[in-house]
Amino acid sequence: MTQILEIQRGSFTISTDPARLDIDAICDFFTRAYWTKGRPRERTERALANSLVFGVYEGTKQVGIARVISDYSIFAYICDVFIHEEYRAQGLGKWLIETIMSHPDLLGLRRWTLVTRDAHGLYKQYGFTPLSNPNGWMEIIRPFPGE
């Protein structure tokens, strides 16, 4: 089990405490994210329950999120990174990625991955590069029920 992390910066907190997650706010974020179109709420809830989730809060209000899927030894995948539109351009996304990359339970991992359509500049600052061997990667993408 990973340790709960809480870091304060001004009026903002990043926390990995699952009890703080505002599922309604998160599902609202995801109605506006291109990568979560069509994802049923119950799938989001299950994904959150089975991931290391970093919530970004102003006081008790959820203003951002990121999930990490990991074996805590070799591999981690960062996904569902979202900062509420009203809170962008304040450095919260950078702080969120810095916090993820320095989480004590994730230090020393061999491979980190993520997928992005439009945030390459952000992730490049933390050492992410295009896949060195994209031909070695494979995937299956199945539609959600009702799509």
Side-chain angles (χ1 to χ4, degrees):
M1 178 155 193
T2 63
Q3 61 183 0
I4 291 177
L5 179 74
E6 290 216 353
I7 300 173
Q8 194 91 28
R9 183 180 284 177
S11 63
F12 296 99
T13 303
I14 293 178
S15 175
T16 59
D17 184 351
R20 290 192 68 169
L21 295 173
D22 181 340
I23 305 300
D24 290 334
I26 294 166
C27 289
D28 180 61
F29 296 163
F30 290 168
T31 64
R32 300 185 305 279
Y34 68 84
W35 65 89
T36 56
K37 293 289 185 213
R39 183 192 293 172
R41 180 185 176 106
E42 63 272 8
R43 294 287 182 104
T44 294
E45 291 175 0
R46 190 173 357 154
L48 294 171
N50 290 293
S51 303
L52 176 57
V53 183
F54 292 76
V56 183
Y57 306 90
E58 183 179 42
T60 59
K61 179 181 180 184
Q62 180 116 33
V63 300
I65 186 173
R67 289 191 309 120
V68 176
I69 303 164
S70 182
D71 60 12
Y72 301 99
S73 178
I74 299 165
F75 178 82
Y77 174 67
I78 300 174
C79 57
D80 290 344
V81 179
F82 191 90
I83 300 294
H84 189 286
E85 295 86 350
E86 294 177 17
Y87 291 86
R88 292 182 185 165
Q90 297 184 46
L92 295 175
K94 289 181 181 181
W95 181 39
L96 180 56
I97 299 304
E98 289 168 10
T99 302
I100 291 169
M101 301 298 292
S102 64
H103 188 287
D105 293 334
L106 301 172
L107 293 176
L109 297 180
R110 175 169 165 64
R111 184 182 305 264
W112 288 83
T113 62
L114 58 82
V115 177
T116 185
R117 183 167 75 185
D118 56 6
H120 295 83
L122 169 65
Y123 298 114
K124 189 174 187 175
Q125 296 174 51
Y126 300 96
F128 285 89
T129 62
L131 293 174
S132 60
N133 181 13
N135 292 330
W137 287 80
M138 299 177 73
E139 67 180 358
I140 295 173
I141 299 179
R142 296 187 174 114
F144 289 114
E147 280 190 308

